[in-house]
Amino acid sequence: MTIHHFQHQHTAHCESGVMSTLLKHHGFDYSEPMLFGLSSALTFAYLPIIKLSGMPLIAYRMPPKTIIRNSCKRLGIKLNMQKFVSATQGMQKLDQALDNNQLVGLQTSVFWLPYIPDALRFHFNAHNILVYGKEAEQYLISDPVMELPVQCSASDLERARFAKGALAGKGLMYTLEDAQKQDHPVNLSQVIRSAILKNARQMQAPLPFIGIKGIHLLANRIQKLKNSMKSDQYKKLYLGHIVRMQEEIGTGGAGFRYMYASFLQEAADHFSSNHKPLLIEAADNMTNIGDAWRKFASRTVKLCRNLNETGFNEVSELLRQVADSEKKCWRSLSQSIKKIA
């Protein structure tokens, strides 16, 4: 049971990449950046009450499944999602979907996928892949982080789907209804406008841990770390954790900003010549913000290697500058997009 004429895509991020591939298979030609933007997935969150290996959760995108659900909702595409009580039931449902010639999305653990190089494995239970067939006991996998399709044994895939711990997927699988065209064409310019305004509200939220205020909060925590009673080892682990969450988990803080900039560039083509420059300018600003996040990460790595007072002052100030740039960008973008009827 193999889906013929399936086209694998190597993309930047697993969830947006899987959704782009899945939608294209069903005749909906939406790029990865477009789906990321339409789902209003860009954010920042500093959540010290939630721990990852003893360190606070730092997120640069909305929670897992946001892109899957929001992109389909905004585009009016019907999505079927299932979780399972038992692994046996989950694997049976996967085989049934493949028997029905369905392309299936799965939420898995990166750590238990054997084709992922050892150096890149870590315990993250929200990695999305597509299954497009099965030969004997080997599933045919389209993993967006891999250049080419791969295979995975039934036992390994079951273990990856039903891994325990934070963000456990409980065998989550999802499919789209077999429809080549929507009953009512989407007014994409209006959908883009709504998605941008929602994302702007998220980034300008009044909550102290979210959006621009959350970035300022993290900058203050880094500043306070300089004179804290914590050991140098803890300080290095904390700073290293910030960089890892930004640059290694998913697409990272800078990477998601670059992807959103690509979304704004693509979105500009759906508006009149009068409004197009506003989105192009916003895309340029977002790219510059991505560069600023990368600069912050680079300086933080240097501070990890050599803890010093000047370094703490520098990286915290760089992060405040990032927050100010994001505030200016989102305020300008929301004001501009509101002018578009």
Side-chain angles (χ1 to χ4, degrees), residues 85-132:
V85 175
S86 73
T88 300
Q89 182 190 29
M91 298 304 288
Q92 288 174 346
K93 287 292 186 180
L94 172 59
D95 287 346
Q96 289 174 12
L98 294 173
D99 284 337
N100 291 329
N101 205 39
Q102 289 182 294
L103 181 60
V104 183
L106 298 177
Q107 181 175 322
T108 63
S109 167
V110 173
F111 189 82
W112 298 113
L113 293 172
Y115 57 80
I116 299 289
D118 289 345
L120 300 180
R121 290 195 204 180
F122 59 99
H123 289 286
F124 177 65
N125 288 332
H127 181 61
N128 288 270
I129 63 174
L130 288 168
V131 181
Y132 65 94

Side-chain angles (χ1 to χ4, degrees), residues 196-257:
I196 291 174
L197 288 173
K198 180 178 180 180
N199 219 141
R201 290 193 297 270
Q202 289 171 184
M203 287 301 299
Q204 299 176 93
L207 301 174
F209 303 108
I210 305 298
I212 293 158
K213 287 184 178 292
I215 300 172
H216 276 295
L217 179 60
L218 178 57
N220 293 337
R221 293 294 170 90
I222 294 173
Q223 187 77 52
K224 290 180 180 179
L225 190 65
K226 175 181 64 176
N227 296 320
S228 80
M229 299 301 292
K230 299 287 187 179
S231 68
D232 285 355
Q233 179 67 15
Y234 175 85
K235 293 176 182 179
K236 289 181 178 181
L237 287 173
Y238 186 92
L239 294 169
H241 171 74
I242 293 172
V243 175
R244 182 168 181 262
M245 293 299 295
Q246 178 182 323
E247 297 300 327
E248 295 182 18
I249 304 298
T251 303
F256 282 132
R257 267 65 188 172

Side-chain angles (χ1 to χ4, degrees), residues 117-327:
D118 289 345
L120 300 180
R121 290 195 204 180
F122 59 99
H123 289 286
F124 177 65
N125 288 332
H127 181 61
N128 288 270
I129 63 174
L130 288 168
V131 181
Y132 65 94
K134 185 180 182 183
E135 295 178 353
E137 288 302 304
Q138 294 290 319
Y139 286 93
L140 308 182
I141 306 291
S142 172
D143 189 319
V145 305
M146 305 300 290
E147 187 174 353
L148 298 171
V150 294
Q151 295 188 10
C152 183
S153 71
S155 59
D156 284 327
L157 185 59
E158 179 180 318
R159 192 173 192 182
R161 290 182 66 193
F162 291 89
K164 306 295 184 182
L167 303 176
K170 298 180 181 178
L172 176 70
M173 61 178 273
Y174 47 95
T175 57
L176 301 183
E177 290 197 359
D178 189 16
Q180 292 299 315
K181 293 182 180 180
Q182 293 142 295
D183 294 334
H184 304 286
V186 172
N187 183 343
L188 199 55
S189 61
Q190 190 60 42
V191 173
I192 289 170
R193 182 179 183 274
S194 298
I196 291 174
L197 288 173
K198 180 178 180 180
N199 219 141
R201 290 193 297 270
Q202 289 171 184
M203 287 301 299
Q204 299 176 93
L207 301 174
F209 303 108
I210 305 298
I212 293 158
K213 287 184 178 292
I215 300 172
H216 276 295
L217 179 60
L218 178 57
N220 293 337
R221 293 294 170 90
I222 294 173
Q223 187 77 52
K224 290 180 180 179
L225 190 65
K226 175 181 64 176
N227 296 320
S228 80
M229 299 301 292
K230 299 287 187 179
S231 68
D232 285 355
Q233 179 67 15
Y234 175 85
K235 293 176 182 179
K236 289 181 178 181
L237 287 173
Y238 186 92
L239 294 169
H241 171 74
I242 293 172
V243 175
R244 182 168 181 262
M245 293 299 295
Q246 178 182 323
E247 297 300 327
E248 295 182 18
I249 304 298
T251 303
F256 282 132
R257 267 65 188 172
Y258 295 142
M259 191 182 297
Y260 200 84
S262 295
F263 157 68
L264 292 172
Q265 288 176 330
E266 189 175 340
D269 292 333
H270 296 276
F271 293 91
S272 69
S273 57
N274 292 333
H275 297 126
K276 186 173 180 177
L278 299 175
L279 292 171
I280 295 297
E281 180 183 1
D284 291 339
N285 291 336
M286 193 62 67
T287 299
N288 292 335
I289 289 171
D291 291 341
W293 275 110
R294 284 274 160 88
K295 182 178 179 181
F296 162 74
S298 176
R299 294 293 190 274
T300 304
V301 169
K302 290 183 179 179
L303 181 58
C304 281
R305 295 170 180 163
N306 179 25
L307 297 177
N308 61 85
E309 183 173 342
T310 302
F312 278 104
N313 293 335
E314 181 185 10
V315 297
S316 57
E317 181 56 31
L318 281 174
L319 196 51
R320 291 188 184 98
Q321 291 174 11
V322 168
D324 291 341
S325 296
E326 294 238 8
K327 181 178 181 179

